[in-house]
Amino acid sequence: MSATAPTGPRKRHWLFDMIPLALCFALLFAVSFLPPDNARHEVDRLGRLSVCMPNLYPPLVTDNADMPGFEVELMQEITERLGWRLNIVSNASMGRDFNPRNWRINRAQCQMLAGGIAINSTTSSFLDTTQPHLVTGWALVAPPGATIDTVESPVGFMAGLTGLDRIGLGQYIRQRGITATIVNDAATLRTRMEAGDYDAAITEALLASTTFSDTDLAITVLGTPLERIPLGMGFWKGDLTLKRAVESAVADIRADGTLAQLAERYDLDAGILCPSETGRC
């Protein structure tokens, strides 16, 4: 009886090799049916950019007509350079926390969001965002040279934005043997600091910059393990042509020094302004 000759590996049918290529063509064909991104074209056509912003979030948005806020003036600069009119749509829910899903804003109200838009995973799941130009977080307000490890208890504390992690801050200061006395408003915090009731205060960085900008106290944005929240601008998902136009304008504003001048006008501490368009704050 003769032995059966060994057989080589079976050749794959050429149709199997064509499957990935066919899938790619099918995907490209499906993409061709998506609506075009005409966000920039629509703003150009109207000559107007509607921007949703909090109605009050100093120093980003204020109720002072002569100094309407850092972000308001930044948006005025952007729209002027792009040849648009600025239409601010005030929303009282913005600024209460950093989650845009709680603000009940939709595309019919505005084409863009500004005035303290956090750049994080929650926001990115809902909006396209620019690189950050500001950063906030918990800040220490104290005489120059003092640090979180040298201040003595009690320190004054005001929560400010509800989006910051108070539990994490509580653990952080307890580990350093610091006790905090809670005050309910920024004016009281400043008054008690000036009265010598506290050697230092802890509050949200932008609020600290507004409250203590005309004093000799130093404002230090606390770092790890406490969170720092980068702030930028938001766009509806897919409106990339509009986002690119605004980002280009911001880059020009940063490059010619206008952004730094605006920050100085609003006494924003150097630690709050992102120094470059790399997003490193």
Side-chain angles (χ1 to χ4, degrees), residues 144-224:
T147 70
I148 191 67
D149 295 315
T150 62
V151 297
E152 296 183 2
S153 299
V155 303
F157 169 73
M158 180 185 169
L161 288 177
T162 57
L164 293 175
D165 181 7
R166 302 185 198 187
I167 297 176
L169 175 67
Q171 295 172 342
Y172 178 80
I173 63 176
R174 280 197 298 273
Q175 289 170 355
R176 287 158 176 77
I178 298 172
T179 58
T181 299
I182 299 174
V183 297
N184 294 323
D185 60 83
T188 302
L189 184 62
R190 172 163 174 159
T191 299
R192 298 197 66 174
M193 281 285 289
E194 292 175 336
D197 294 338
Y198 313 128
D199 287 335
I202 296 175
T203 188
E204 187 261 328
L206 289 170
L207 179 64
S209 185
T210 299
T211 307
F212 297 98
S213 62
D214 59 344
T215 71
D216 294 329
L217 297 170
I219 299 169
T220 305
V221 185
L222 299 173
T224 308

Side-chain angles (χ1 to χ4, degrees), residues 33 135 253-254 256 273:
F33 285 95
V135 66
I253 290 169
R254 186 193 299 275
D256 66 17
L273 186 68

Side-chain angles (χ1 to χ4, degrees), residues 6-158:
T7 59
R10 189 176 178 183
K11 290 185 178 179
R12 293 180 60 187
H13 194 280
W14 65 272
L15 281 175
F16 287 100
D17 296 331
M18 295 297 292
I19 289 177
L21 190 60
L23 290 175
C24 288
F25 277 117
L27 181 61
L28 291 174
F29 184 70
V31 167
S32 68
F33 285 95
L34 292 175
D37 174 11
N38 61 353
R40 164 72 188 271
H41 172 76
E42 187 63 16
V43 175
D44 284 336
R45 186 183 68 81
L46 296 172
R48 182 190 66 212
L49 177 66
S50 294
V51 183
C52 285
M53 303 183 79
N55 57 354
L56 190 64
Y57 184 8
L60 304 185
V61 182
T62 77
D63 55 2
N64 183 342
D66 295 327
M67 292 187 64
F70 173 84
E71 293 269 306
V72 173
E73 292 203 39
L74 178 58
M75 288 308 311
Q76 290 172 340
E77 189 73 27
I78 291 170
T79 50
E80 181 178 333
R81 295 193 184 204
L82 291 172
W84 303 331
R85 300 188 310 277
L86 173 62
N87 176 41
I88 295 177
V89 180
S90 297
N91 185 306
S93 297
M94 296 177 67
R96 292 178 181 172
D97 63 35
F98 288 122
N99 188 351
R101 296 184 185 278
N102 296 334
W103 300 341
R104 298 183 178 180
I105 294 176
N106 57 54
R107 188 184 285 269
Q109 295 172 294
C110 50
Q111 294 122 338
M112 180 178 165
L113 294 83
I117 305 301
I119 311 299
N120 56 28
S121 57
T122 301
T123 305
S124 299
S125 69
F126 190 63
L127 301 169
D128 283 321
T129 55
T130 61
Q131 291 289 338
H133 53 274
L134 297 172
V135 66
T136 190
W138 294 119
L140 175 73
V141 183
T147 70
I148 191 67
D149 295 315
T150 62
V151 297
E152 296 183 2
S153 299
V155 303
F157 169 73
M158 180 185 169

